[in-house]
Amino acid sequence: MKRAFALISVFLFFAVLAVGGHAGDDNIDDAIQNTILSQIEAFANDDRQAAWDHASEGIKQQSGSIESFYDMVKLSYAPVHRASSIEFMERIPHPGFQIQVVRLLGPEGKRWIAHYHMVKNGDDWKIGGVGLKEGPSSI
């Protein structure tokens, strides 16, 4: 009887732990995706300040100013700057940061895969960089 109770207790402990882990993952996914969507919306509206607000401190230091940051994104990251469609794929956790994979439809209808390097700043997720590669021409 004691053994059955112990096994049930262990099972319940891991069941609660598993459910709690998924809820935390959902919160991380939502927060990261909202940050990315908010920045893409800011670019679509040419709201330089809002786009800058979603950048990490490292990106801000590298860029030096809102204008430099915005010009760099506009020239080098056109699929992010003018995304017309966005689809979130997997999130890859790493110690100290997360990678969010995103499928984008950029200018001229080209498809792209973006790897967003997301870093935690206090309670907020910030964009620490984006790697782009051309995606498949069809899904």
Side-chain angles (χ1 to χ4, degrees):
M1 182 70 163
K2 286 183 182 181
R3 184 168 187 202
F5 180 72
L7 287 174
I8 291 170
S9 296
V10 169
F11 174 76
L12 288 174
F13 171 77
F14 284 110
V16 168
L17 187 63
V19 170
H22 292 297
D25 286 350
D26 290 345
N27 291 339
I28 292 171
D29 288 341
D30 289 347
I32 286 174
Q33 291 173 12
N34 285 337
T35 298
I36 293 168
L37 284 172
S38 294
Q39 190 181 61
I40 287 176
E41 182 178 321
F43 287 132
N45 293 321
D46 288 320
D47 186 342
R48 296 167 188 238
Q49 181 65 55
W52 174 259
D53 290 344
H54 296 293
S56 70
E57 291 305 312
I59 294 296
K60 289 177 179 180
Q61 288 175 2
Q62 281 181 329
S63 300
S65 72
I66 293 174
E67 294 305 318
S68 295
F69 166 75
Y70 197 83
D71 290 344
M72 179 266 305
V73 172
K74 188 175 177 179
L75 293 173
S76 300
Y77 296 89
V80 171
H81 182 255
R82 289 295 181 236
S84 60
S85 175
I86 181 170
E87 180 183 356
F88 289 101
M89 309 302 286
E90 69 269 10
R91 177 177 53 83
I92 306 162
H94 293 275
F97 67 96
Q98 305 281 315
I99 299 292
Q100 176 65 58
V101 181
V102 179
R103 206 177 321 194
L104 300 170
L105 185 61
E108 301 171 14
K110 287 187 180 177
R111 297 183 188 282
W112 297 85
I113 302 295
H115 291 85
Y116 277 80
H117 179 208
M118 303 298 295
V119 296
K120 191 85 170 182
N121 183 0
D123 291 337
D124 299 323
W125 285 96
K126 300 292 183 176
I127 299 168
V130 180
L132 283 173
K133 67 178 184 177
E134 282 194 50
S137 58
S138 65
I139 297 176

